[in-house]
Amino acid sequence: MPRVKQICCIGAGYVGGPTCAVIALKCPHIRVTIVDLNQARIDAWNSPDFNLPIYEPGLEDVVRKARGRNLFFSTDVDKGIRDADLIFVSVNTPTKKSGVGAGFAADLNYVELATRRIAATATSSKIVVEKSTVPCRTAESMRTILDANSKPNARFDILSNPEFLAEGTAIDDLFAPDRVLIGSLQTQEGKTACAALSEVYQNWVPKERILTVGLWSSELSKLAANAMLAQRISSINALSAICEATGANIAEVAHSIGQDSRIGPKFLRASVGFGGSCFQKDILNLVYLSESLNLKEVAEYWKQVVTMNEYQKRRFSKRVVDTLFNTITGKRIAVLGFAFKADTGDTRESAAITLIRDFQQEKALINVYDPQVESNQIWADLTEASPDMPLAAIQRQVFICPSALEACKNAEAVIIATEWAEFKTIDWQAVYAGMNKPAFVFDGRLLVDANKLRSIGFKVTVIGRGERL
Ligand code: NAI
């Protein structure tokens, strides 16, 4: 079995960075180089004061321990490829914006470019590992490109090793994964390559947690896992709408059904809707795959998960407008949280973006506060969400504030859009004193103690709770 001595990871993003930093930490005998075309990102990974490009609890500590020892960040993609015996392809696979499959299919351009780079550069044999989330049978296309362009004596084995980390808990997830999944061709060479990657993980992951399966099962399992997780959120959110209409309480319903061991308690928290770079994109990808396989009913089934999510966001912003006497024109609304979830600075597909866009369209004034997201990112996201509006016009309506308290000053309503722990412990008495009355709170994350806030004087609306008690 070949022992892996040098790893290259192409793509220094939310997956490539943390995953390969943890591999370097846990495998001091392996030299790990993470490469990316984005100079600014690599500079941030290399910054002397560890001002890393990604916020993730525990990440800085990992990078401090391994960087310069056996962990390196570089823009020299070709050298990274040449030196490595195993290469992770961790590039982005966003939803296609134009052409065939636009709005659904994964854009595999970055995967293809990285694969072509490997073929053009490698002068010795490599194990090439799909870490990016890709549609079923992408490995086949990668192999065709590699085989057609490779040099003599350079053979490639392709593995699928999808990443299951969740942003916000990435380091804990990587230290103690529920499972590591490795897919390979069921040939002797495929199994040998699989064993080599498995050996890397066995430096810290118990062997029984390393699952080895066929290539196509591995690729599909990643899409399936995200589809099932998102489906649970849309299911509980659909029930939250019934709760609001009937006076049932979604927290009580979720607890009651979660006690059933067949259902389990996790991922049953109603919210303003899921976000993040993966759930929507991967489900749409599954929808596209199903349609291409002529499985219309299957495609429709999964598409509903995304439709329900959109409905939940729309329903929430409508509830805000309805509650504020059917108009928010000229009213100041404080939006607490901009990241798609707590403990990350990632804003991709964040529900806050949709809510703010809806409030902008209603001509409200919006104060935004997030503990991690940088102002530039907020402006970029809001500009993308309202392409017809120049940034200057957006900035006449939206204001970024340095604290939650500042954001709430003179507001008519506070919207909790992200479940940051610090929003639980805000001085709500002070918030109330600074707001216009009646002062409204809309909890889109089941985060605050609604009764406590009511006793201060707030009018509180909670997702999944009706007024008919
Ligand atoms: P990202 O956008 O944060 O990072 C991708 C990086 O790849 C970028 O920095 C980009 O500059 C770089 N890149 C693209 N093409 C390149 C090339 N040819 N050569 C060198 N660098 C190149 O994306 P993220 O979030 O890390 O996702 C990567 C993959 O992992 C995606 O397929 C995603 O679906 C999957 N995934 C993401 C998870 C997440 O929580 N973000 C979780 C599990 C899987």
Side-chain angles (χ1 to χ4, degrees), residues 10-16 35-38 41 77 90-93 110 114 132-133 163 165 167 222 277-278 281 348:
I10 304 181
Y14 285 85
V15 164
V35 296
D36 202 296
L37 298 172
N38 183 331
R41 234 178 191 183
V77 177
S90 283
V91 299
N92 34 331
T93 51
Y110 303 100
S132 300
T133 304
E163 185 48 62
L165 67 77
E167 286 179 31
K222 174 64 194 176
S277 66
C278 294
K281 150 176 103 64
R348 290 177 285 184

Side-chain angles (χ1 to χ4, degrees), residues 133-153:
T133 304
V134 289
C136 211
R137 296 197 85 93
T138 301
E140 198 165 46
S141 318
M142 289 172 75
R143 188 148 48 96
T144 308
I145 292 170
L146 290 169
D147 287 350
N149 294 285
S150 61
K151 303 192 178 53
N153 303 326

Side-chain angles (χ1 to χ4, degrees), residues 314-359:
R314 262 201 335 272
R315 211 168 64 73
F316 189 77
S317 38
K318 182 171 182 309
R319 207 168 170 208
V320 172
V321 177
D322 289 352
T323 310
L324 292 176
F325 316 110
N326 293 318
T327 175
I328 57 171
T329 301
K331 293 181 182 171
R332 192 168 293 277
I333 311 282
V335 175
L336 301 187
F338 195 86
F340 85 91
K341 66 190 273 199
D343 291 325
T344 178
D346 196 350
T347 61
R348 290 177 285 184
E349 305 294 341
S350 177
I353 300 172
T354 313
L355 297 181
I356 293 171
R357 194 211 42 215
D358 289 353
F359 299 152

Side-chain angles (χ1 to χ4, degrees), residues 13-30:
Y14 285 85
V15 164
T19 308
C20 287
V22 166
I23 291 179
L25 181 76
K26 299 290 186 182
C27 311
H29 56 285
I30 298 178

Side-chain angles (χ1 to χ4, degrees), residues 79-90:
K79 182 170 184 327
I81 292 171
R82 260 195 318 271
D83 292 350
D85 25 44
L86 184 146
I87 301 167
F88 284 108
V89 177
S90 283

